[in-house]
Amino acid sequence: MNIKVFTGIVFLCLATVSAKSQQQDWKVDASVILEKISEPDFPDRIFKISSETVKENVADVINKKIDECSKAGGGKVVLASGEYFCEGPLILKDNVNLHLEKNTKLVFSQKPEDYLPVVLVRWEGTEAWNYSPFIYASDVENIAITGKGIIDGNGSAEESFREWRPLQKKDQNKLREMGKNGVPVNERVFGKGHFLRPQLIHLLNCKNILLEDITIKNGAFWLIQPTYCDNITVRGVKVDSRFINNDGVDIDSDTNVLIENCNFNTGDDFVAIKSGRDQDGWRVNKPSKNILIRNCVSENCLHGISFGSELSGGIENVICQNLTFKKVRSYGVQFKSNKDRGGYLKNVILDNIQIDTAETCISFTNQYHSYSGGNNPTAFENILIRNLKCNIAQEKAISMIGLPEMPIQNVKLENVTIQKSGELSVVDNVINMSFINVKY
């Protein structure tokens, strides 16, 4: 075990250490989380669409069927096998299951004017009015996207929203300043003439959600982003979208979330758990909590499971178990914030995590980039990582960097093996930490 120990840390540097240094007086129970999660139920009504009979804009046809289905009391809007080209967003309504049959492919246009008028979104942790996400819902209940079909964000097109990323900095900074200064949300209008990329699937303030068996490809920005939502199940979903900012799922100020049996190959985080950015996150004040992520695989991602950095509303009560990451291009397990964020991260259990290769296996930092001079550090506490195995950490096995004024607290590593690592591990400003059967 090679470790560099800095001033300000209370740490026992042994491969096997008694747990007496940490009294675990907190508990996160998967069964308690599952008790609060149930799938939406839909009437037997079927509203079917065939690509062969569509003679107008597919988005208009599907939205009409969604409206008809919802007004009838709910049911299933079925896209029969075939390819559909949507020139505009799909808007989900109460009690509608949008079902893509096997061999169905839903492809979205890349014309900005197709995604106007603007709608309310949360963009990288700050609320704004922006181009509509490709699939959008706001303030509805009992919704689903299911089936064996493919949703293609068309980000690989020659001209796509993906090309906006190098152009977004001015608008990105403007929105962040609006959030910092408390500009009323109805005055934060972007859209035409601006370059904030739209999300692929963005569900805002919705309840009782199911995403099951679909495949998602080629997003230009965040792929699946439920925000302020409650009672969410994501099951058997496949993601193959490897452009920058393509996270598998962004859990964003959501409660009662189950993600299971998924395969996410992404250009960014496998799953990111967030809850708002800085002052705007404090204003909304909604944590992400009661989250279970289990039995999932990623063959290729930039980061594995990620907490933050937008966590100003707080994150609590999270269990991640039975996750396999084959190639992680940066951090395998990442907890990140900075002194602008505030908020908190507590009561997290990671159990049975398998990582083939990563740059750094386990990373904690309260000094993440984009810091702009605030004085609101994030409290990290009550974190258990057990039964983790990593074959190769090309850089550090473990990096834990807290702050002198806000040390990371109550961290326990148990049955952790990192077979090979490059640089010395770093632990700085961590108190009440225990290692039990840790080898690296």
Side-chain angles (χ1 to χ4, degrees), residues 171-435:
D171 292 322
Q172 183 184 54
N173 288 340
K174 181 179 179 180
L175 177 58
R176 290 176 179 177
E177 281 298 309
M178 287 177 161
K180 181 178 180 179
N181 295 328
V183 172
V185 175
N186 61 6
E187 297 178 17
R188 305 177 197 175
V189 181
F190 290 80
K192 187 175 181 179
H194 299 276
F195 297 97
L196 300 181
R197 293 162 291 162
Q199 300 92 333
L200 184 51
I201 301 173
H202 188 26
L203 313 175
L204 192 72
N205 198 34
C206 299
K207 292 179 65 175
N208 309 334
I209 298 163
L210 173 65
L211 304 181
E212 187 169 40
D213 292 338
I214 54 174
T215 295
I216 293 174
K217 302 179 68 173
N218 301 324
F221 186 50
W222 290 6
L223 304 174
I224 302 171
Q225 183 192 347
T227 300
Y228 317 144
C229 293
D230 178 53
N231 189 19
I232 304 166
T233 299
V234 180
R235 178 184 297 117
V237 172
K238 297 179 178 63
V239 169
D240 187 8
S241 194
R242 306 193 189 191
F243 301 124
I244 195 164
N245 300 134
N246 284 178
D247 302 330
V249 178
D250 289 279
I251 300 169
D252 188 20
S253 293
D254 301 308
T255 57
N256 305 317
V257 181
L258 171 64
I259 300 175
E260 64 178 357
N261 305 327
C262 294
N263 189 315
F264 296 158
N265 300 307
T266 63
D268 215 305
D269 300 341
F270 161 78
V271 170
I273 303 174
K274 303 173 179 290
S275 63
R277 184 183 184 92
D278 305 345
Q279 287 83 354
D280 208 53
W282 306 339
R283 175 186 65 83
V284 174
N285 193 28
K286 290 188 177 181
S288 281
K289 64 180 182 180
N290 302 335
I291 298 161
L292 175 59
I293 305 169
R294 64 184 182 183
N295 306 328
C296 295
V297 174
S298 176
E299 296 177 4
N300 194 310
C301 59
L302 181 63
H303 308 299
I305 188 73
S306 178
F307 297 80
S309 70
E310 303 93 341
L311 44 62
S312 301
I315 298 172
E316 61 184 291
N317 301 344
V318 181
I319 300 175
C320 304
Q321 57 187 196
N322 305 328
L323 305 182
T324 300
F325 302 108
K326 295 184 180 179
K327 182 179 180 180
V328 180
R329 300 190 301 279
S330 190
Y331 299 107
V333 175
Q334 185 180 33
F335 303 84
K336 54 184 177 179
S337 187
N338 65 33
K339 289 194 289 185
D340 293 326
R341 296 286 184 267
Y344 60 87
L345 170 66
K346 66 181 181 181
N347 303 349
V348 176
I349 297 175
L350 278 67
D351 189 5
N352 192 22
I353 311 297
Q354 307 293 316
I355 302 171
D356 188 4
T357 64
E359 282 192 355
T360 296
C361 181
I362 299 171
S363 174
F364 290 70
T365 182
N366 226 326
Q367 301 181 40
Y368 192 64
H369 66 70
S370 298
Y371 172 60
S372 62
N375 190 27
N376 297 280
T378 303
F380 289 176
E381 60 184 343
N382 301 344
I383 298 165
L384 169 62
I385 302 174
R386 65 187 177 203
N387 303 320
L388 180 149
K389 182 177 180 181
C390 176
N391 290 329
I392 300 173
Q394 295 166 333
E395 295 185 0
K396 297 179 180 67
I398 298 171
S399 177
M400 296 188 184
I401 303 174
L403 296 167
E405 68 271 32
M406 183 71 77
I408 298 166
Q409 298 191 58
N410 299 343
V411 178
K412 181 177 180 180
L413 272 60
E414 181 177 356
N415 298 331
V416 171
T417 300
I418 301 166
Q419 301 277 25
K420 183 180 179 181
S421 61
E423 305 171 14
L424 292 176
S425 289
V426 176
V427 177
D428 191 8
N429 295 308
V430 182
I431 62 174
N432 207 8
M433 177 175 180
S434 63
F435 277 19

